[in-house]
Amino acid sequence: MAGFEGKMLEVNLSSGEVKKSVIDKGVLRRFIGGSGLGAKLMFDRIDPKIDGLSPQNELFILCGPISGTSLPGGARFAICAKSPLTNMFAESSCGGDFASELRSAGWDGIIVQGTSKKPVYLYIEDQKAEIKDASDLWGKNNHEVTQMLKERHGGRDARVLTIGQAGETQVRYAGIANGRSFAARCGMGAVMGSKKLKAIVVKGSGKTPLADPERFAEKRKVLIQKVKDNVATLVLGMLGTNAAVDVSAVTGDLPGKNWASGDNTAIAAKTGGPVLSGQQFLTGTESCFGCTVGCKRVNKITEGPFAGWAGPGPEYEGVVSLGSNLVIDDMAAIIKMNDMCNDFGLDVISAGSTIGMAMECMERGLLTTKDTGGIDLRWGNADAVVKIIPMIARREGFGATLAEGTKRAAQKIGKGASEYAIEVKGLEVPMHDPRAHHGLGLSYATSARGACHTNDPTYSIGTGIFDWPDLGLTPLLAAGVKESKVWGPVIKNSQDLGQIINAGVFCYMLGLVMNADDLTQLLASSSGFDYTFSELVECGERIWHMKRGVSNLMGITAADDTLPKRLLTPTTEGAAAGSKIDLELMLKEYYPARGLNPDGRPSKETLNRLGLSDLAAKLY
Amino acid sequence: MAGFEGKMLEVNLSSGEVKKSVIDKGVLRRFIGGSGLGAKLMFDRIDPKIDGLSPQNELFILCGPISGTSLPGGARFAICAKSPLTNMFAESSCGGDFASELRSAGWDGIIVQGTSKKPVYLYIEDQKAEIKDASDLWGKNNHEVTQMLKERHGGRDARVLTIGQAGETQVRYAGIANGRSFAARCGMGAVMGSKKLKAIVVKGSGKTPLADPERFAEKRKVLIQKVKDNVATLVLGMLGTNAAVDVSAVTGDLPGKNWASGDNTAIAAKTGGPVLSGQQFLTGTESCFGCTVGCKRVNKITEGPFAGWAGPGPEYEGVVSLGSNLVIDDMAAIIKMNDMCNDFGLDVISAGSTIGMAMECMERGLLTTKDTGGIDLRWGNADAVVKIIPMIARREGFGATLAEGTKRAAQKIGKGASEYAIEVKGLEVPMHDPRAHHGLGLSYATSARGACHTNDPTYSIGTGIFDWPDLGLTPLLAAGVKESKVWGPVIKNSQDLGQIINAGVFCYMLGLVMNADDLTQLLASSSGFDYTFSELVECGERIWHMKRGVSNLMGITAADDTLPKRLLTPTTEGAAAGSKIDLELMLKEYYPARGLNPDGRPSKETLNRLGLSDLAAKLY
């Protein structure tokens, strides 16, 4: 069959060897693709004890059956490795145009092993793959390298993955760029940098294979129509993901001042959807490959210190992590800082969060300008952030401390600074406040990669995203998102669904219109496996436990399933004022539903039921 | 049967007579209620040649089967009369809490005839109705009168309709207040003022009758759940109707500078959803009776010239008509001006539109401060608007000119000012630009009351509102809202649906979640008639033609089905730049579909098919 066949390009940068391998069909069916497959490959290939930045780590760039098809929201692919930030299983998802080209070249994924002695990039043209010298690219940032490689290899047709200076210096939260899209989280760019791999260029002359093109086309048509008709996807196209700022602010979901401020509506009013997408800043919109939504912003700045800048605009997460989180309400500065992070190759969530921690330390006297080399990291000081971003990316001065991520940086600062490091398992918390939605708190505490709101659709439950009665994810707003008691048993199902999405690899935004049948038909007709929805849900469950098991082997226990103290303390103002998360209660109900032992390992019973006896053998 | 029985309270203010009458069951079934019934009553009872402000005009305050039930969006009722603004059939819809109380008192409507010699108000307590002296209320505005009457008649339980000074002086676009809700359009407050009827107070000890309470309760439950689950109704609750500013601005739908400016995103960014609903201005939200959405804003102003003000906040229409339409981006001033209009009893759309016309005349030198008594009506001058609003309401100085509405005021100003009067059939255009949505242009040109976006759901087609395949209202975004060719045949169906909604009387916002079956079951179980959807659609068609026929008898012809020149001319900037409405094409296709003769009268064939031979006899 054509379809998703698991054709992997294996590149060993230590030996210079390049070869082809094919994933076993049974593995493909059981782990779907994307980060599902990534978990399985990590389990099979990686010694859990290795350092994330060592040559023994491997970088898994993985498509799923949907990746690179011309489905709206179907451009995505996953990048997995042991994370240098969290020291456990990591996955990062990226949109853009790389997956479609990679699959057009006949590949479903790339595995990068070893470490090169000198900077290199990988050039792929259909079945040909070459390791090339990257001396002239090293030291440059994402925008420039992308431009250079596109010019060198045939313009628009060449699709490019790159790292910026932050990846080179192995900032623990460095990301990987695919043009204007980013696999930002968990430091995958640092892993790439540790291998001295500056970029990957791919050109394909074929097309993305589909097992049943007609059946797929039919469902695709349905989805395109739904996207056109749905008010939420329409608004997404009109205002971008930043539309969420407007509603997050009034529900108490929008964090501010390193999560200490509960009411951030004043900053939201200056940085929300209509501001970013108004004439002052917007010049156009863009989509990932094949998508009809157009949620990406293209911005310009015409006034103030950044006048003359034009380029890709921020997403919701960037606007908030660099905006209200730092008490910055200057939209132009936020646009500029966000682009700097993208260009240098820093995850905007982790960068904003780490800087926010430092600002709080400065306010509280735990840091002074002596420590920071004269940079005045006070709340709202965008100039200081503009100065510190390159220093982080280059690990210069105080930037080297912040390059370690909020958890390690706070430990270095000491004096109790860790209280202001808002992270779970070392991953900085995304910009949605669980005090406004307790289920999200449980999700953060137990997600496969640390604090994450895209590892399952919990954040969206109640707003119609992936709201599928057959999974028991019925809307729970009635029961109260600001109550803990209803969430325990629900999150398990939400996570199983999330694993399918990230294995597919689907865009979460498509959940606004997609239902269980759409998902099943699309995965079956693209992969070639005659999936039913219930089989997929079982795959989701299997994938979750494989990710968890890999992380258990790397040292994760029940004690790590927690939230920072600040998020367990109610705010005193804003729409979620007084709302206190009862994480203990939620975990108590979640653990048995999830099939976890009290020590945080998947139970033997669960693993055996899911056909993961190999994992059980290693865990027990 | 209990249900909607058409129990009318008839009050003759000339004679002082108060009596009960009951509408014929056949009429009820065929015209449903609300403005459908209003059209039939106007046809039966009103000489088309009378002046709207004469004692011979009658004020019809009409519930529908849904009015005053505890359904979300079910609080609304209709007020109909010959309009002093448009000189034809008029209807105005109002939310609030009046309908539930009126029906609890055992009444489905009130008909006010004649004119009192001195100011009076009507007091209704269950089946008792009294005409009372209103000398002490006369001269006062809505908020104060409402307060006084509630205190006098038992506090919260007394529900009140009032007019402000604008109604007393018969400003042609004076509205009627029910607390913080308004029957604003078409000058119904002027009709009430012409009768010297200052207020109506009602207290009922019963409850709103339902023909089949169990069946109704079942559907109500479904709708409440849908409202809770739907992302659009959720956002409506979070940001109010002002959320529409954010998206309108980026589609070119948001008017600015008296409809001359195509790109109003800069003002939208300062007056949009997150600004109005942020901590700076929001203190709470409110709902109409029985509703679970909570789209009403409660605002405060803490800084600037209006600091200390607190009260009901504006809707989308007020924010735009008094905001970008006048090039005013000061949210505090807009909130204040909007509340002044509501308190004095001016329709915010007509007020903003008329003032906008005057501002343009001033800019162009057609008016000077000599004409305006020194008031500098230049673009963006909120101070001038704050000064002119009371003068309009009191018909003082230049205010007396603007009290006539944009069409008549422009005629008075002369020198070609009519080119800047943006109205259809004398009714000022609501704040959605048809150049961004051509179907809306045809809807404005042919709606039953002049330019109106709530006489049918055309504005919403493509965004899921009342998107019912059985009516052929399939989403047309694919075909392009900025193209004229697809709209002609669609608008007829949209209008038929709109007539059912306004006869029901439903809130348009419920269309975000309601489907054909919901609508049918709710109307059948509340009214007691075993409606099918197709019978309801035929009712809608009948109602449209009855409204049209009444207006034909009052002088409306095909020549009135048009748009102001400005709206037929493309803008040069913004998201709808260059988009030119082909109204001629749309009308050519619409007329036969609508069953209109080329002269603008309903064809005899159509009227006979709909059982309107009595109307045919008068028209031909």
Side-chain angles (χ1 to χ4, degrees):
Chain A
M1 72 177 189
F4 189 68
E5 299 175 272
K7 291 181 285 191
M8 309 301 293
L9 174 64
E10 293 194 39
V11 180
N12 188 320
L13 293 177
S14 296
S15 67
E17 191 191 4
V18 171
K19 66 173 185 181
K20 182 174 177 173
S21 67
V22 178
I23 309 279
D24 173 77
K25 272 198 168 27
V27 169
L28 287 180
R29 178 165 197 146
R30 284 151 41 87
F31 291 92
I32 303 173
S35 68
L37 191 53
K40 171 66 173 159
L41 291 174
M42 278 180 73
F43 175 74
D44 286 344
R45 299 171 60 111
I46 302 284
D47 175 354
K49 293 186 183 57
I50 60 160
D51 187 280
L53 298 172
S54 72
Q56 287 72 42
N57 202 0
E58 298 189 4
L59 191 69
F60 302 98
I61 298 164
L62 298 166
C63 296
I66 295 302
S67 300
T69 62
S70 59
L71 187 75
R76 301 191 80 82
F77 60 105
I79 303 184
C80 299
K82 181 171 183 180
S83 166
L85 186 65
T86 65
N87 290 333
M88 61 175 199
F89 168 83
E91 61 181 287
S92 194
S93 167
C94 186
D97 57 17
F98 186 81
S100 65
E101 200 71 16
L102 186 66
R103 299 198 70 195
S104 301
W107 302 104
D108 298 317
I110 304 169
I111 302 174
V112 185
Q113 305 163 273
T115 296
S116 171
K117 286 205 176 68
K118 50 169 199 164
V120 291
Y121 72 98
L122 178 64
Y123 177 76
I124 304 166
E125 193 173 333
D126 291 330
Q127 290 301 296
K128 187 181 79 182
E130 276 178 76
I131 299 168
K132 288 178 173 274
D133 178 58
S135 318
D136 59 330
L137 306 174
W138 204 253
K140 294 185 163 47
N141 281 324
N142 284 321
H143 296 341
E144 189 181 357
V145 176
T146 300
Q147 188 60 29
M148 285 172 73
L149 287 171
K150 278 182 171 279
E151 279 168 16
R152 188 178 303 171
H153 293 292
R156 285 172 54 104
D157 288 347
R159 315 294 185 168
V160 183
L161 284 194
T162 61
I163 56 169
Q165 291 181 4
E168 295 180 9
T169 64
Q170 300 167 36
V171 172
R172 288 187 188 271
Y173 49 90
I176 297 173
N178 170 207
R180 296 176 172 201
S181 296
F182 301 90
R185 304 231 72 192
C186 296
M188 298 298 95
V191 176
M192 192 159 154
S194 74
K195 298 187 175 310
K196 289 221 162 35
L197 180 62
K198 182 67 180 175
I200 302 177
V201 182
V202 63
K203 291 174 74 174
S205 62
K207 57 181 188 173
T208 299
L210 289 167
D212 185 344
E214 276 178 37
R215 189 170 158 215
F216 184 87
E218 211 172 286
K219 266 292 168 193
R220 175 176 169 270
K221 210 174 138 192
V222 168
L223 222 60
I224 288 175
Q225 190 61 47
K226 284 190 185 180
V227 163
K228 271 185 184 137
D229 298 349
N230 183 280
V231 66
T233 38
L234 279 170
V235 169
L236 189 62
M238 290 169 181
L239 299 177
T241 54
N242 205 41
V245 167
D246 310 0
V247 289
S248 282
V250 298
T251 58
D253 171 73
L254 196 80
K257 213 175 176 181
N258 196 36
W259 304 81
S261 161
D263 189 340
N264 302 291
T265 54
I267 293 181
K270 293 185 176 174
T271 60
V275 179
L276 183 65
S277 294
Q279 67 180 353
Q280 194 185 349
F281 295 114
L282 197 79
T283 58
T285 62
E286 284 180 354
S287 278
C288 292
F289 174 85
C291 193
T292 53
V293 172
C295 73
K296 285 176 182 286
R297 307 293 92 183
V298 186
N299 291 125
K300 63 174 180 189
I301 303 174
T302 53
E303 283 171 27
F306 310 116
W309 178 94
E315 304 287 333
Y316 169 89
E317 294 290 337
V319 168
V320 183
S321 65
L322 300 165
S324 59
N325 181 52
L326 305 181
V327 199
I328 292 173
D329 65 4
D330 176 347
M331 189 85 249
I334 292 167
I335 292 171
K336 173 66 180 173
M337 295 183 296
N338 178 77
D339 187 55
M340 289 176 74
C341 286
N342 288 345
D343 197 21
F344 281 106
L346 296 169
D347 173 14
V348 287
I349 298 176
S350 293
S353 189
T354 305
I355 295 167
M357 180 274 295
M359 284 183 165
E360 182 155 3
C361 287
M362 185 151 273
E363 183 192 32
R364 293 176 182 272
L366 279 55
L367 279 177
T368 68
T369 48
K370 273 189 191 168
D371 303 302
T372 62
I375 295 178
D376 183 13
L377 286 169
R378 62 184 149 72
W379 296 119
N381 188 1
D383 286 349
V385 180
V386 168
K387 279 185 197 136
I388 202 80
I389 287 172
M391 292 172 65
I392 295 172
R394 295 171 185 143
R395 287 186 172 268
E396 290 170 357
F398 186 65
T401 300
L402 299 187
E404 294 292 290
T406 198
K407 183 178 180 178
R408 288 180 177 82
Q411 286 163 350
K412 281 198 176 183
I413 293 166
K415 307 174 201 169
S418 290
E419 193 169 330
Y420 315 118
I422 310 303
E423 47 78 25
V424 175
K425 299 185 178 81
L427 186 64
E428 290 78 8
V429 179
M431 297 295 131
H432 296 283
D433 196 324
R435 288 167 291 191
H437 185 335
H438 293 194
L440 189 62
L442 180 58
S443 172
Y444 285 168
T446 61
S447 146
R449 69 174 183 185
C452 173
H453 70 303
T454 58
N455 203 258
D456 69 86
T458 302
Y459 174 61
S460 319
I461 290 175
T463 58
I465 298 190
F466 297 110
D467 167 26
W468 297 337
D470 26 5
L471 266 184
L473 303 178
T474 45
L476 288 166
L477 284 182
V481 288
K482 286 165 195 159
E483 283 186 34
S484 294
K485 63 181 176 192
V486 297
W487 291 105
V490 172
I491 297 300
K492 180 252 171 197
N493 285 340
S494 180
Q495 289 176 334
D496 290 346
L497 179 54
Q499 306 319 303
I500 310 172
I501 295 162
N502 292 343
V505 182
F506 292 93
C507 174
Y508 268 77
M509 294 302 161
L510 263 286
L512 290 163
V513 299
M514 198 161 61
N515 63 29
D517 182 60
D518 298 333
L519 179 90
T520 308
Q521 304 266 354
L522 286 166
L523 279 175
S525 61
S526 57
S527 69
F529 297 115
D530 56 345
Y531 286 127
T532 58
F533 186 56
S534 61
E535 179 180 350
L536 286 172
V537 170
E538 197 186 50
C539 290
E541 200 181 354
R542 180 181 301 116
I543 290 168
W544 192 90
H545 281 288
M546 182 54 93
K547 291 177 181 175
R548 177 71 174 203
V550 167
S551 290
N552 287 140
L553 292 170
M554 292 169 174
I556 293 300
T557 70
D560 299 300
D561 290 339
T562 187
L563 290 174
K565 188 177 145 200
R566 177 159 287 172
L567 300 190
L568 294 171
T569 310
T571 60
T572 53
E573 70 284 298
S579 163
K580 186 168 163 53
I581 298 173
D582 190 343
L583 183 61
E584 204 178 329
L585 170 72
M586 292 195 288
L587 283 169
K588 198 177 138 191
E589 293 179 341
Y590 167 83
Y591 258 55
R594 181 69 281 179
L596 289 176
N597 283 344
D599 65 5
R601 288 180 297 176
S603 71
K604 282 185 198 171
E605 222 179 318
T606 306
L607 295 176
N608 289 333
R609 177 169 57 78
L610 295 169
L612 296 176
S613 51
D614 50 353
L615 175 58
K618 283 212 185 171
L619 279 173
Y620 291 97
Chain B
M1 72 175 187
F4 189 67
E5 299 177 271
K7 291 179 285 189
M8 309 301 292
L9 174 64
E10 292 196 37
V11 179
N12 189 319
L13 293 176
S14 296
S15 69
E17 191 191 3
V18 170
K19 66 172 185 181
K20 181 174 178 173
S21 67
V22 177
I23 309 279
D24 172 77
K25 273 198 168 23
V27 170
L28 288 180
R29 177 163 196 145
R30 283 152 39 88
F31 292 91
I32 304 173
S35 69
L37 190 54
K40 172 64 173 159
L41 291 174
M42 279 181 71
F43 175 73
D44 286 346
R45 299 172 60 112
I46 302 284
D47 176 354
K49 291 188 183 57
I50 59 159
D51 187 279
L53 298 172
S54 72
Q56 287 71 44
N57 201 1
E58 298 189 3
L59 191 69
F60 302 98
I61 298 164
L62 299 165
C63 295
I66 295 300
S67 301
T69 61
S70 59
L71 188 75
R76 301 192 79 83
F77 61 104
I79 304 184
C80 299
K82 180 170 184 179
S83 166
L85 186 66
T86 65
N87 290 333
M88 61 176 199
F89 168 82
E91 60 181 289
S92 196
S93 168
C94 187
D97 57 18
F98 187 82
S100 63
E101 200 70 16
L102 186 65
R103 298 197 71 196
S104 301
W107 302 103
D108 298 317
I110 304 169
I111 301 176
V112 184
Q113 306 163 274
T115 296
S116 172
K117 286 204 173 71
K118 53 169 198 165
V120 291
Y121 72 98
L122 178 63
Y123 178 75
I124 304 165
E125 193 174 332
D126 290 328
Q127 291 300 296
K128 185 183 82 182
E130 276 177 77
I131 300 168
K132 288 176 173 278
D133 179 58
S135 318
D136 59 330
L137 306 174
W138 204 253
K140 293 184 162 49
N141 281 324
N142 285 320
H143 297 340
E144 189 181 357
V145 176
T146 300
Q147 189 60 27
M148 285 171 73
L149 287 172
K150 276 182 172 279
E151 279 168 16
R152 188 177 302 171
H153 293 292
R156 284 171 56 103
D157 288 347
R159 315 293 186 170
V160 183
L161 285 192
T162 61
I163 56 169
Q165 291 181 3
E168 294 179 9
T169 64
Q170 300 166 35
V171 172
R172 287 187 190 273
Y173 49 89
I176 298 172
N178 170 206
R180 295 175 171 201
S181 297
F182 301 91
R185 304 231 72 191
C186 296
M188 298 298 94
V191 175
M192 192 159 153
S194 74
K195 298 187 175 308
K196 289 223 163 32
L197 181 63
K198 183 66 181 175
I200 302 177
V201 182
V202 64
K203 290 173 74 174
S205 61
K207 57 180 189 172
T208 299
L210 290 166
D212 185 344
E214 277 178 36
R215 189 169 157 212
F216 185 87
E218 211 172 287
K219 265 292 167 196
R220 175 176 169 270
K221 209 175 139 191
V222 169
L223 223 61
I224 288 175
Q225 191 60 45
K226 283 191 185 181
V227 162
K228 271 186 185 136
D229 297 349
N230 185 280
V231 67
T233 38
L234 278 171
V235 170
L236 189 61
M238 290 169 181
L239 299 177
T241 55
N242 205 42
V245 166
D246 310 359
V247 289
S248 282
V250 298
T251 58
D253 171 73
L254 195 81
K257 213 176 177 180
N258 196 35
W259 303 79
S261 161
D263 189 339
N264 303 291
T265 53
I267 294 180
K270 293 185 176 176
T271 60
V275 179
L276 183 64
S277 294
Q279 67 181 355
Q280 195 184 349
F281 296 115
L282 197 78
T283 57
T285 61
E286 284 181 355
S287 279
C288 291
F289 175 84
C291 193
T292 53
V293 173
C295 72
K296 285 175 182 288
R297 307 291 96 181
V298 185
N299 291 126
K300 62 173 181 190
I301 303 175
T302 53
E303 284 171 25
F306 311 115
W309 177 93
E315 303 288 333
Y316 168 89
E317 294 289 338
V319 169
V320 183
S321 65
L322 299 166
S324 59
N325 180 53
L326 306 182
V327 199
I328 292 173
D329 64 4
D330 176 347
M331 190 85 252
I334 292 168
I335 292 171
K336 173 66 180 173
M337 295 184 297
N338 178 78
D339 186 55
M340 289 176 72
C341 286
N342 288 345
D343 196 21
F344 281 107
L346 296 168
D347 173 15
V348 286
I349 298 176
S350 293
S353 189
T354 306
I355 295 167
M357 180 276 295
M359 283 183 166
E360 182 155 3
C361 287
M362 185 152 274
E363 182 191 34
R364 292 175 182 275
L366 279 58
L367 279 177
T368 68
T369 47
K370 273 189 192 169
D371 303 302
T372 62
I375 294 178
D376 184 12
L377 286 169
R378 63 183 150 72
W379 297 119
N381 187 1
D383 286 349
V385 180
V386 168
K387 278 185 196 138
I388 202 80
I389 287 172
M391 292 173 65
I392 295 173
R394 294 169 185 146
R395 287 185 173 269
E396 290 169 356
F398 185 64
T401 300
L402 300 187
E404 293 292 290
T406 198
K407 183 178 181 178
R408 288 180 178 81
Q411 286 163 350
K412 279 196 176 181
I413 294 166
K415 309 171 201 170
S418 289
E419 193 168 328
Y420 316 117
I422 311 304
E423 47 79 24
V424 175
K425 300 187 177 79
L427 186 65
E428 291 78 8
V429 178
M431 297 295 131
H432 295 284
D433 196 324
R435 289 168 290 191
H437 185 336
H438 293 194
L440 190 62
L442 180 57
S443 172
Y444 284 168
T446 61
S447 144
R449 70 175 181 184
C452 173
H453 71 302
T454 57
N455 204 258
D456 69 87
T458 302
Y459 173 62
S460 319
I461 290 176
T463 56
I465 298 191
F466 297 110
D467 165 29
W468 296 337
D470 28 4
L471 266 184
L473 302 179
T474 44
L476 287 166
L477 284 182
V481 288
K482 285 164 195 162
E483 283 186 35
S484 295
K485 66 181 176 193
V486 298
W487 290 104
V490 172
I491 298 300
K492 180 253 172 198
N493 286 340
S494 180
Q495 290 177 332
D496 291 345
L497 179 54
Q499 306 319 303
I500 309 172
I501 295 161
N502 292 343
V505 180
F506 292 93
C507 174
Y508 268 77
M509 293 303 161
L510 262 285
L512 290 163
V513 299
M514 197 161 63
N515 64 28
D517 182 61
D518 298 332
L519 180 89
T520 308
Q521 304 266 355
L522 286 166
L523 280 175
S525 60
S526 57
S527 70
F529 297 116
D530 56 345
Y531 288 126
T532 59
F533 186 56
S534 61
E535 180 179 349
L536 286 172
V537 169
E538 197 186 52
C539 290
E541 200 180 355
R542 180 181 301 115
I543 290 168
W544 192 90
H545 282 288
M546 181 53 92
K547 291 177 181 176
R548 177 69 174 205
V550 166
S551 290
N552 287 141
L553 293 170
M554 292 169 175
I556 293 300
T557 71
D560 299 300
D561 290 339
T562 187
L563 290 174
K565 189 176 144 198
R566 176 157 289 172
L567 300 190
L568 294 170
T569 310
T571 59
T572 53
E573 73 287 335
S579 164
K580 187 168 161 54
I581 297 173
D582 190 342
L583 184 61
E584 206 177 328
L585 170 73
M586 289 195 289
L587 283 170
K588 198 176 137 193
E589 294 179 341
Y590 167 82
Y591 259 54
R594 181 70 279 179
L596 289 177
N597 282 344
D599 64 5
R601 289 179 298 177
S603 72
K604 282 185 199 171
E605 223 178 319
T606 306
L607 294 176
N608 289 333
R609 177 170 57 78
L610 297 168
L612 297 175
S613 52
D614 50 354
L615 175 58
K618 282 210 186 170
L619 278 173
Y620 291 96

